[in-house]
Amino acid sequence: MLGTGIIKGMAQTAKNFVGSYSDPKYLTTVEYPEQRVPTKENNRNFPFLVFDGEEAMVGLRCVACQICEKECPPQCIYIEKDKNKKPDFVGKDQFQPAVFDIDISVCMSCQICVEVCPFDAIKMDTEFELSQTNRFDGLLINKHQLAKSNDYYRGIHPTEAAEIDAARAADVKKAAAKAAAKAKAEAEKKAKAAAEAAAKTEADAADTPES
Amino acid sequence: MEALLIAIKARILELAPEFLQFPLGHLLSITPVISVFAGIFALTTWIERKGLGRIQNRLGPNRVGPVGILQPVADGLKMIFKEDVVPRSADKIVHFLAPILLVIPTMLAFSVIPYGNRLVPIDLDAGILFFFAIGGSAELIVFMAGWSSRNKYAMLGAMRAIAQMISYEVPLILSSIVVIMMAGSLSLVDIVAVQTGGFWNWHVATPWGFVGFLLFLTAALAESNRSPFDIPEAESEIIAGHMTEYSGFKYALFFLAEYLGLFAMTGLAITLFLGGFHAPFPFLNWVPAPLWFFGKFAILVALFIWIRGTLPRLRMDQLMGLAWKFMIPMSLITFAAGATWHYAGKGLLAWILCTPMLLGSYVYLGTALTKGQKVSKRVYRFAD
């Protein structure tokens, strides 16, 4: 009959209206600036550079290999190599970036830089509140702004960070073992050389009596 | 309360010189009406947004002031300081006149509604006739706005508005004619006086009055372009209809006129069917009469907001079908039921005669209107 649908609809909206005051099921709003939904682990936005330890510029994982710069589809990354090298996490001397800029007005958050980085140096951030009062501010981000600690990375993407940490720990162990083996070999070589040298001096001494 | 207000007015008039008494007297009647209803308009926009929000499971405006109560102030300030854009090819004079002229008839409509005992700005003998005559001029002005904008959406909206308003004016007036017939007067003051006593004396407590009230409310919604009859504005189809080319304060005036039109219709519905300013029970007569009027007013406005939050917009053919196939025959039958009620003695016999007459025709007309319409779940070809 005409009108039954209207009454049914009115009942539903009345239920919504009354329910919004008593039942949280009917009022799902999260009042954003004051209340926040925790970000999901899979969430990703613009890239950032990971550093280990306390000092950002000392612990920066980036070795300025420029793979990401070349792979970046919209070409928003700009890298300049520094002339000075610095030791990386296994103690090997590596290049470091003198300039590492990302133009986030060009960046399309595709994550290709993260995929191609062999050093786990660049990762995706979850920061989304990037608004500025001036429309030209905050678009070109330099390496000091990009550098964020590994602890921060563990905080936003725990699973991924744990995997990388484990791999890097294994690398450090391997490098330490290698270094130890090398040191041992070197020590042996040195001892051998020393022994040889000693034998030689002895022989020389024997060769030149009362001179 | 009314006595106090009237006494204050008389006291002020005494102080004024004689040549000022006529304009000052009317000014004292007009100013409260305009300020009270403009204030209610501001409050209603806020309540409407809050209510619609709750209906749609969200909070509504809550940023400006406590619980968003200052939202109308912020909206008003924004409207005043916005740039007033007039299209280059628009008819400048008509385009400028339309929003101003539209407010005038809606304001005038308030002048004949009785808000309390002896509290009526002008007690016209043909008050209801004046109300509808003034309300009818709104159509022309809406068309002025649509035509002068020189915009196809504005034009379409204005044409839709005219079609809708003319169609719905017929059931609106027919359903109120029953009341005029039963009260035997065109004066709204007399129509209210007929309904003294408890709520059982109100016209809505009779079979013809109840049906007439529902018809009147539906037609009033359509007359004031409210959802579900908001096809002249239809945001999703024709931007904003006749208001497309208006910005700033002119747009605010359209908005104001629309709400004031609704308020005037609500006031008339209360006067015709809900006993005007009378209390529902005689022992509640000590409560000032204007409070009863505005209490009923608030309930009806809340109902309109509820309807707006519930019903989707009608299609043009459905809108016309509802008016011409259902509401006009129904109001004619209400007419006959009113006559039956009068001649059957307004008692039990009248109830027995009128109720099946109205109910039967409601069911018959309703099924005839919805015949051939198949209601089924919508199947999407690509969206699923």
Side-chain angles (χ1 to χ4, degrees):
Chain A
M1 206 171 73
L2 186 73
T4 46
I6 296 175
I7 290 167
K8 243 187 251 168
M10 299 279 277
Q12 180 58 49
T13 46
K15 212 160 88 186
N16 278 8
F17 182 80
V18 177
S20 73
Y21 285 98
S22 54
D23 190 350
K25 194 183 94 189
Y26 286 104
L27 194 63
T28 50
T29 309
V30 178
E31 287 186 75
Y32 159 62
E34 291 92 31
Q35 305 166 7
R36 278 149 196 279
V37 179
T39 50
K40 296 252 166 54
E41 208 186 318
N42 290 342
N43 179 19
R44 61 187 172 93
N45 203 357
F46 293 110
F48 72 102
L49 295 175
V50 188
F51 68 84
D52 296 305
E54 297 297 314
E55 281 285 313
M57 288 307 117
V58 174
L60 208 62
R61 288 180 183 175
C62 179
V63 299
C65 67
Q66 294 178 311
I67 293 176
C68 53
E69 187 184 22
K70 282 168 196 138
E71 290 287 346
C72 179
Q75 305 196 336
C76 69
I77 304 178
Y78 175 71
I79 302 172
E80 260 177 37
K81 270 187 189 173
D82 201 341
K83 293 209 170 64
N84 305 319
K85 289 189 175 184
K86 73 170 170 62
D88 68 353
F89 69 110
V90 292
K92 197 173 156 197
D93 267 1
Q94 294 277 19
F95 281 108
Q96 55 175 323
V99 176
F100 195 114
D101 289 340
I102 295 183
D103 189 342
I104 60 162
S105 65
V106 175
C107 175
M108 60 184 198
S109 305
C110 63
Q111 211 180 348
I112 287 176
C113 51
V114 177
E115 308 289 339
V116 298
C117 183
F119 301 94
D120 295 317
I122 191 163
K123 290 290 167 197
M124 296 308 273
D125 204 347
T126 53
E127 178 70 42
F128 57 92
E129 286 153 320
L130 300 158
S131 59
Q132 300 281 342
T133 46
N134 183 317
R135 74 187 165 119
F136 300 114
D137 283 350
L139 294 178
L140 193 70
I141 303 186
N142 63 26
K143 66 173 180 176
H144 298 278
Q145 291 161 307
L146 283 169
K148 281 174 182 172
S149 72
N150 195 22
D151 288 337
Y152 174 80
Y153 180 45
R154 283 191 201 114
I156 56 170
H157 298 306
T159 323
E160 238 176 77
E163 275 168 25
I164 289 164
D165 282 351
R168 284 170 76 87
D171 278 358
V172 169
K173 219 184 229 171
K174 223 195 267 168
K178 209 172 156 190
K182 205 175 164 190
K184 207 176 156 195
E186 217 137 275
E188 267 170 21
K189 215 168 149 190
K190 222 181 209 172
K192 215 170 158 189
E196 264 170 26
K200 208 179 172 190
T201 22
E202 235 166 67
D204 284 353
D207 279 352
T208 51
E210 64 259 349
S211 59
Chain B
M1 189 168 147
E2 311 93 294
L4 184 72
L5 291 173
I6 290 164
I8 291 170
K9 186 183 167 187
R11 190 90 191 86
I12 292 170
L13 282 186
E14 264 174 35
L15 297 172
E18 198 167 333
F19 70 96
L20 269 181
Q21 282 196 353
F22 178 76
L24 192 65
H26 283 290
L27 199 67
L28 284 175
S29 307
I30 292 163
T31 319
V33 170
I34 291 179
S35 48
V36 163
F37 281 97
I40 291 177
F41 157 68
L43 201 63
T44 309
T45 54
W46 173 70
I47 292 172
E48 175 153 28
R49 291 175 64 182
K50 286 299 259 190
L52 285 181
R54 290 283 173 174
I55 282 170
Q56 294 158 5
N57 300 351
R58 55 190 175 82
L59 283 165
N62 62 350
R63 293 284 138 182
V64 197
V67 293
I69 187 93
L70 295 178
Q71 188 68 42
V73 180
D75 284 345
L77 281 175
K78 183 201 82 174
M79 287 292 191
I80 290 169
F81 290 115
K82 243 175 146 172
E83 188 188 353
D84 174 35
V85 184
V86 180
R88 196 181 297 145
S89 53
D91 188 331
K92 299 268 177 338
I93 299 165
V94 183
H95 190 266
F96 172 76
L97 275 180
I100 299 162
L101 285 181
L102 190 58
V103 179
I104 294 170
T106 46
M107 286 284 187
L108 279 175
F110 288 106
S111 62
V112 288
I113 293 170
Y115 304 102
N117 214 355
R118 294 205 293 138
L119 205 66
V120 49
I122 315 164
D123 181 8
L124 278 182
D125 285 339
I128 192 164
L129 203 61
F130 175 77
F131 187 98
F132 287 129
I134 279 295
S137 66
E139 281 136 53
L140 176 69
I141 296 156
V142 164
F143 196 72
M144 272 168 68
W147 176 264
S148 65
S149 297
R150 203 152 197 267
N151 175 314
K152 54 190 163 207
Y153 294 114
M155 189 66 205
L156 272 175
M159 284 165 80
R160 284 178 174 202
I162 287 217
Q164 173 177 331
M165 283 171 161
I166 289 176
S167 302
Y168 278 86
E169 209 146 75
V170 182
L172 185 80
I173 294 173
L174 278 182
S175 57
S176 47
I177 279 181
V178 194
V179 177
I180 296 168
M181 190 172 78
M182 302 306 282
S185 171
L186 277 169
S187 161
L188 289 172
V189 177
D190 291 348
I191 289 172
V192 172
V194 172
Q195 305 177 68
T196 31
F199 69 87
W200 51 90
N201 281 340
W202 297 356
H203 287 147
V204 77
T206 57
W208 57 269
F210 182 69
V211 175
F213 178 60
L214 293 183
L215 286 172
F216 188 90
L217 277 194
T218 317
L221 278 178
E223 269 297 285
S224 46
N225 297 345
R226 285 272 307 182
S227 176
F229 303 106
D230 58 349
I231 65 158
E233 275 141 55
E235 298 89 350
S236 50
E237 300 159 26
I238 49 170
I239 309 173
H242 58 276
M243 307 193 283
T244 306
E245 290 294 354
Y246 284 94
S247 60
F249 204 69
K250 287 180 187 164
Y251 180 83
L253 280 180
F254 272 107
F255 212 59
L256 175 79
E258 193 171 292
Y259 271 84
L260 287 185
L262 180 76
F263 292 162
M265 286 291 176
T266 314
L268 191 67
I270 291 165
T271 310
L272 293 181
F273 296 100
L274 294 180
F277 49 79
H278 291 308
F281 296 100
F283 66 84
L284 284 172
N285 277 338
W286 55 271
V287 180
L291 291 188
W292 285 117
F293 181 86
F294 284 106
K296 292 168 188 174
F297 185 84
I299 290 169
L300 280 188
V301 168
L303 179 72
F304 289 148
I305 295 172
W306 186 9
I307 289 173
R308 184 177 168 187
T310 306
L311 301 178
R313 188 183 305 130
L314 264 70
R315 219 167 47 213
M316 193 73 194
D317 61 319
Q318 292 169 335
L319 182 94
M320 288 298 154
L322 184 68
W324 294 97
K325 290 186 201 158
F326 179 77
M327 286 181 66
I328 291 174
M330 199 66 210
S331 51
L332 288 172
I333 287 157
T334 316
F335 212 62
T340 317
W341 175 267
H342 183 73
Y343 286 110
K346 305 183 182 182
L348 189 65
L349 178 68
W351 271 98
I352 292 168
L353 286 175
C354 282
T355 315
M357 188 171 160
L358 288 166
L359 209 63
S361 47
Y362 174 77
V363 173
Y364 173 73
L365 287 173
T367 41
L369 183 72
T370 52
K371 203 172 72 184
Q373 289 180 7
K374 245 170 55 193
V375 182
S376 57
K377 197 166 184 290
R378 189 162 182 172
V379 182
Y380 294 95
R381 278 172 65 202
F382 302 112
D384 273 330

